[in-house]
Amino acid sequence: YKTMDPTFMESVWWVFKELFNKDLVYQGYKVMPFSTACGTPLSNFEAGLNYKDVRDPAVVVSFPLRDEEGVSFVAWTTTPWTLPSNIALCVHPTMEYVKVLDKKSGARYILAKARLPQIYPEMTKKKKWTPQKAAETLEVEATFQGSELVGKKYEPIFGYFANSEGSEEYFRILSDTYVTDDAGTGIVHQAPAFGEDDYRVCLSHKVIQKGKDLPCPVD
C-alpha cells in the first residue's frame, strides 16, 4: 500500500473514527525513542534501523542515606547525563545486598554482594585477593535482601527537583525484578523521563502519576 493514496488514508481514518465511537481508543503514556534531528518520537522499528554497538560511559555514583550518616547506596548507570533527573533507586527484591566499610576512606556503602568487584576490581584477581588483602580493604557489616531496603530515603545528588510538585514521593528505594547482578552494582538509578523500565517501576510504586509532568531538564 501507499500512504500517499487518498483512498487508503480515508479508509484508515474511517476505521479509527469507528474505534473512537466505540470507546476503544485511549490516551496512553510511554517512553519512546526520540530523534534529536527531526524533533519527533521514533517507532521502535525506526530506532532499530541504524542500531550500532558503541562504547558508552558507565559511572558509579553514591547516594547518601538520610537516616544513616556516612552510609551511601552505590548505583550504576550507563546514561550519566540523566542523573540530574534522578528521583529514585531500584533494587532486586530477592537479591542479597551488603553494607561494607571501606577501610581506606572510612565510608560505608550498600550494594549487591555479587557486585562488590564493581568497586573493588582487585577481587577478580584471585592470586592477589588474599584473606589478608580483603581484611585490609573492606569489612562486611550487614547483609540483607533487597526487599528490606525498599522505602529507605536518600539525599538527592542534585536538588533541581527536591521541592517540585510530588517530590514527597521522590528519592527513595524501589524494587523490581528487572535489576540484575551481571553488571553494575545491583542498584539502578531511575529517571522515568528517559527509561522505559524507569517509567514503569516509578509508576507502579506511585513515585509518579500517569499523565503528569516528569522531572526532565532536557529540552
Side-chain angles (χ1 to χ4, degrees):
Y1 63 85
K2 294 188 295 182
T3 56
M4 66 183 74
D5 181 72
T7 303
F8 172 79
M9 289 189 291
E10 290 170 1
S11 298
V12 172
W13 278 111
W14 178 84
V15 170
F16 185 82
K17 180 176 181 294
E18 291 299 305
L19 292 171
F20 181 82
N21 289 339
K22 295 177 181 180
D23 290 328
L24 297 175
V25 178
Y26 69 95
Q27 183 176 10
Y29 298 90
K30 185 179 181 181
V31 176
M32 296 290 293
F34 188 80
S35 170
T36 54
C38 300
T40 60
L42 298 172
S43 68
N44 289 333
F45 173 75
E46 291 171 315
L49 286 176
N50 195 37
Y51 186 86
K52 297 177 182 178
D53 288 324
V54 298
R55 292 183 66 86
D56 256 354
V59 298
V60 173
V61 186
S62 61
F63 295 80
L65 271 74
R66 284 187 178 175
D67 58 356
E68 286 190 68
E69 189 176 350
V71 182
S72 299
F73 292 107
V74 181
W76 178 78
T77 179
T78 56
T79 56
W81 53 273
T82 65
L83 284 168
S85 303
N86 170 268
I87 59 172
L89 298 174
C90 189
V91 300
H92 192 290
T94 61
M95 197 180 294
E96 189 175 22
Y97 290 81
V98 291
K99 178 169 72 174
V100 298
L101 168 65
D102 182 83
K103 296 288 186 70
K104 185 176 181 179
S105 67
R108 288 172 169 81
Y109 301 115
I110 295 176
L111 70 160
K113 183 178 180 179
R115 297 308 306 161
L116 279 169
Q118 180 70 40
I119 58 174
Y120 298 107
E122 59 268 32
M123 291 180 70
T124 61
K125 302 171 183 177
K126 294 183 178 180
K127 291 184 178 179
K128 293 184 178 180
W129 189 253
T130 62
Q132 181 181 352
K133 177 67 174 176
E136 293 172 351
T137 304
L138 60 89
E139 178 185 346
V140 176
E141 295 186 333
T143 303
F144 25 67
Q145 281 196 324
S147 58
E148 297 176 59
L149 298 172
V150 174
K152 285 188 174 293
K153 292 273 193 173
Y154 64 88
E155 295 291 343
I157 56 174
F158 295 102
Y160 303 127
F161 302 104
N163 298 309
S164 60
E165 182 182 356
S167 60
E168 62 276 2
E169 296 292 340
Y170 297 173
F171 313 120
R172 57 188 172 93
I173 304 298
L174 318 176
S175 68
D176 192 86
T177 55
Y178 94 95
V179 179
T180 65
D181 63 359
D182 58 356
T185 63
I187 302 178
V188 183
H189 139 69
Q190 303 288 289
F194 300 101
E196 189 172 359
D197 281 318
D198 304 39
Y199 181 83
R200 175 183 58 80
V201 172
C202 287
L203 192 62
S204 67
H205 285 267
K206 296 181 170 47
V207 177
I208 59 173
Q209 295 181 13
K210 186 177 289 187
K212 297 288 187 177
D213 288 339
L214 300 176
C216 179
V218 179
D219 185 353

